[in-house]
Amino acid sequence: MASEIRLAFSHPSERSEATATGAPLDRISVRDHIVDVEIGAFQAERGVTQRICCNVVVEVRPLTGPIDDDVDRILSYDKVTEAIAYELSDERLNLLETLAERVADRILLEPQAMRVFVRIEKLDRGPGALGVEIVRSRGTVHPVTAQTDGDVLHPELVYLSNAAIAAPHLGAWIDQLEAMGRPLIFCVGPSDNAAPAASHPLAQRRIDLLAIEQNAWVLAARDARCKVVETRTELDWAMRNGQICVWAPSKIVLDAVDGPSAKGADAVALASWFAATFEAREMLVIGDDAPADTSVALRVIAATQAAI
């Protein structure tokens, strides 16, 4: 038992050596790789960065033949640090467990990697280090795969003003858009009722986003085909299964590493950011002005226009 306790707190390289079975494997390691990042599930961890410390050991298949001092023949340390950086830049994460899993999966994409130990600790949340450690092996997980352009869905993104939501031909618009055969996502702004005002900008951002989500439910109540969704996973599933979505923005906006500069009150600009993020084929704005800056194709029609 004493040995097991010692190994639990020792560096992952010692655990790797102690649990090795079968043919011997080579090991590469990255020790005490410290990154400042915004991560955590608690409200106190939002809007601030904290230090995390990553220790990674990768067991690799031994090379056959001479190395010839050729970096292209080995699994470089850069692949490990790049995996950490990539997963931290992809989206804001709440859990160290999620980060560890994704880092392990990405490293196991490398053909030489056979088993990986990942330990990640928060250094600023208490008097000591708080962390997780996982072990993953090739063949026991389903590593992430590179996404090809053919896998990317390019939705039709439609922003509806309050006048458009209340318009008598809302159902006819949805019929026309559905007939295009593309994944369809609706975005809305807050209702015409004034949202509460808060002195703190983070609190106001939350209030503004929640006001948009309330209006998303108003739209969903007007047409049963529209389903309110809030996560990337839900959106991806809905687009692949022909479900019409109404975007509830809080989670994606607040979890974005490089979030939108647009405020929740500027809902058209927020929708434009979302359209670019999800590689929308075009953005259709019904009943409102076009955003000042957009990187997607744009069409604007009046809320009184019966046909799209």
Side-chain angles (χ1 to χ4, degrees), residues 38 42-48 198-210 250 253-254 263-264:
E38 183 185 338
F42 291 99
Q43 187 60 36
E45 296 176 286
R46 290 190 175 272
V48 297
S199 59
H200 196 287
L202 290 179
Q204 189 62 54
R205 190 167 185 78
R206 284 273 192 171
I207 290 169
D208 292 340
L209 291 171
L210 287 172
S250 290
V253 169
L254 295 173
K263 297 181 179 179

Side-chain angles (χ1 to χ4, degrees), residues 100-184:
E101 285 279 359
R102 293 184 181 182
V103 168
D105 286 354
R106 187 156 296 279
I107 291 172
L108 287 170
L109 285 174
E110 299 298 325
Q112 301 108 310
M114 302 304 293
R115 189 165 68 150
V116 59
F117 294 72
V118 180
R119 175 185 290 174
I120 305 178
E121 297 168 307
K122 293 181 181 181
L123 304 181
D124 301 325
R125 285 294 290 169
L130 309 175
V132 300
E133 181 173 329
I134 67 170
V135 184
R136 297 294 181 267
S137 301
R138 178 178 296 278
T140 61
V141 296
H142 301 285
V144 293
T145 55
Q147 193 178 55
T148 66
D149 190 60
D151 296 327
V152 177
L153 296 173
H154 300 283
E156 181 82 12
L157 191 136
V158 182
Y159 178 85
L160 296 176
S161 68
N162 290 329
I165 294 172
H169 30 262
L170 174 66
W173 284 333
I174 296 176
D175 291 340
Q176 294 174 59
L177 292 165
E178 199 172 23
M180 293 180 181
R182 302 173 189 164
L184 181 57

Side-chain angles (χ1 to χ4, degrees), residues 183-224:
L184 181 57
I185 302 175
F186 286 114
C187 293
V188 301
S191 72
D192 293 328
N193 298 322
S199 59
H200 196 287
L202 290 179
Q204 189 62 54
R205 190 167 185 78
R206 284 273 192 171
I207 290 169
D208 292 340
L209 291 171
L210 287 172
I212 292 174
E213 295 187 359
Q214 288 179 320
N215 221 19
W217 286 103
V218 170
L219 173 58
R222 286 220 58 202
D223 192 298

Side-chain angles (χ1 to χ4, degrees), residues 13-48:
S13 60
E14 294 186 50
R15 288 193 59 196
S16 168
E17 184 176 358
T19 59
T21 58
L25 296 172
D26 295 339
R27 300 183 187 93
I28 68 167
S29 65
V30 172
R31 289 175 179 258
D32 300 332
H33 179 70
I34 297 177
V35 185
D36 279 302
V37 65
E38 183 185 338
I39 191 169
F42 291 99
Q43 187 60 36
E45 296 176 286
R46 290 190 175 272
V48 297

Side-chain angles (χ1 to χ4, degrees), residues 32-109:
D32 300 332
H33 179 70
I34 297 177
V35 185
D36 279 302
V37 65
E38 183 185 338
I39 191 169
F42 291 99
Q43 187 60 36
E45 296 176 286
R46 290 190 175 272
V48 297
T49 61
Q50 58 183 301
R51 294 175 303 151
I52 61 171
C53 180
C54 304
N55 283 279
V56 180
V57 173
V58 188
E59 295 179 340
V60 297
R61 186 185 292 113
L63 290 173
T64 57
I67 298 176
D68 293 330
D69 206 31
D70 184 358
V71 71
D72 291 334
R73 294 207 64 209
I74 56 106
L75 177 58
S76 169
Y77 311 109
D78 290 342
K79 295 292 186 180
V80 177
T81 56
E82 285 170 6
I84 296 167
Y86 181 90
E87 296 304 338
L88 286 173
S89 66
D90 189 43
E91 65 174 317
R92 185 196 182 281
L93 298 176
N94 289 327
L95 302 178
L96 291 183
E97 287 85 349
T98 305
L99 176 59
E101 285 279 359
R102 293 184 181 182
V103 168
D105 286 354
R106 187 156 296 279
I107 291 172
L108 287 170
L109 285 174

